[in-house]
Amino acid sequence: MDKYIFGHYKENIKLIIIFSLILIISLYPGIPILGTWESFIYYHNFASLETPVELRISRRASLSDAAIFSIGLSRIVSDYFNFYPTLYIFRILSVVYGFFTLVVFFIVLRRWFDLNTSLATVLLLSINPLFYFEQHTMNQLMISCLGFILLFERLQFLETQYRSFLHWLLLSIPLVLIFMHYGPGRVFATLFILFWFIKLFFSLRAHTNGNKILKIYIKNFIYTVIFSAIFLILID
């Protein structure tokens, strides 16, 4: 993690306090009624005794299969710890996905802004009604949101650390998450990566070794896509 994400002792205390508050907000129960898509997913995960779980890319255009692993995991967790399958337990994974989305979002902001600005922005997002609602709705949106913000964070990091092949391989994590879940997220991610390369192209034109650096970006990205594709095929 970047050395400038954390500050001195007092700033770290402030960081812990704010994220503790965000965690408390996240753990507060949402609306005690199943949503439209939630009803379908809840039935699939808790109605049958043997719940099939899939890791394949969703065959639907905009909705993940109910058996997708990142959602069906709620049934596995509740069975393993012998939790009663309440609505709160069913949604707890979406809450966790939302919390980590806020953590990654903070890392992205901290690379650009000071600590107070970054914390204030993340805190405002955590209490945003739409974000809070989706965080407490167990469907594919929050895990897709986490995948997209992870993609943003990796591309932001690779703008300066483009020679590290390990970090390019880590880019495959958000790519896999995005392509396994919400359909429009795949479109947005593809467009975002395209515009990112266009931005790189124009920013590197004035650089002495711009063409050479751009070739490194393209080569490593192709390797990352191949690795992600192989991983998706293996888990299908």
Side-chain angles (χ1 to χ4, degrees):
M1 187 173 291
D2 309 45
K3 61 182 181 181
Y4 46 83
I5 287 179
F6 297 101
H8 52 71
Y9 176 76
K10 289 184 179 180
E11 289 183 335
N12 290 338
I13 293 297
K14 186 187 300 183
L15 181 67
I16 293 172
I17 292 173
I18 295 298
F19 268 97
S20 297
L21 177 60
I22 290 173
L23 180 60
I24 292 172
I25 295 172
S26 298
L27 292 175
Y28 190 81
I31 300 173
I33 301 174
L34 281 170
T36 304
W37 296 120
E38 268 191 316
S39 301
F40 171 67
I41 296 169
Y42 188 88
Y43 175 81
H44 181 91
N45 283 307
F46 290 99
S48 58
L49 294 177
E50 295 295 332
T51 306
V53 175
E54 296 181 359
L55 290 168
R56 69 181 64 188
I57 296 175
S58 170
R59 293 181 292 274
R60 295 176 173 83
S62 60
L63 178 69
S64 291
D65 293 330
I68 200 72
F69 180 74
S70 57
I71 296 176
L73 187 60
S74 60
R75 168 68 183 268
I76 298 174
V77 171
S78 63
D79 285 351
Y80 182 81
F81 291 102
N82 200 26
F83 291 146
Y84 187 77
T86 63
L87 190 56
Y88 183 80
I89 293 299
F90 172 61
R91 290 171 170 169
I92 196 65
L93 277 179
S94 186
V95 172
V96 172
Y97 297 148
F99 180 75
F100 281 107
T101 298
L102 294 170
V103 172
V104 178
F105 185 50
F106 168 77
I107 294 173
V108 170
L109 291 172
R110 190 67 181 94
R111 290 175 180 153
W112 286 336
F113 306 105
D114 59 78
L115 181 66
N116 291 335
T117 303
S118 303
L119 286 176
T121 305
V122 173
L123 183 59
L124 286 173
L125 178 59
S126 70
I127 60 176
N128 178 277
L130 182 58
F131 182 87
Y132 180 83
F133 174 78
E134 295 298 345
Q135 187 181 13
H136 291 81
T137 302
M138 192 56 194
N139 55 30
Q140 78 287 354
L141 284 177
M142 194 48 62
I143 183 65
S144 297
C145 183
L146 174 59
F148 193 84
I149 196 66
L150 276 171
L151 172 67
F152 193 101
E153 186 276 332
R154 285 294 81 198
L155 294 181
Q156 181 195 46
F157 185 84
L158 288 169
E159 285 189 353
T160 56
Q161 304 295 327
Y162 59 89
R163 293 186 181 276
S164 173
F165 190 66
L166 173 62
H167 289 294
W168 278 101
L169 286 182
L170 291 176
L171 176 62
S172 62
I173 296 175
L175 289 179
V176 168
L177 285 177
I178 290 170
F179 278 86
M180 280 177 60
H181 293 93
Y182 195 50
R186 304 167 200 166
V187 178
F188 298 149
T190 303
L191 290 174
F192 184 79
I193 292 171
L194 176 62
F195 284 120
W196 184 71
F197 270 108
I198 293 174
K199 171 181 173 292
L200 282 177
F201 173 76
F202 284 104
S203 62
L204 290 173
R205 283 202 308 175
H207 198 282
T208 306
N209 298 318
N211 290 334
K212 182 179 179 181
I213 296 174
L214 185 61
K215 288 180 181 178
I216 294 175
Y217 274 106
I218 295 174
K219 180 187 69 174
N220 288 339
F221 181 75
I222 291 174
Y223 289 152
T224 302
V225 171
I226 294 173
F227 179 80
S228 302
I230 292 173
F231 183 76
L232 285 170
I233 292 171
L234 289 176
I235 65 177
D236 190 356

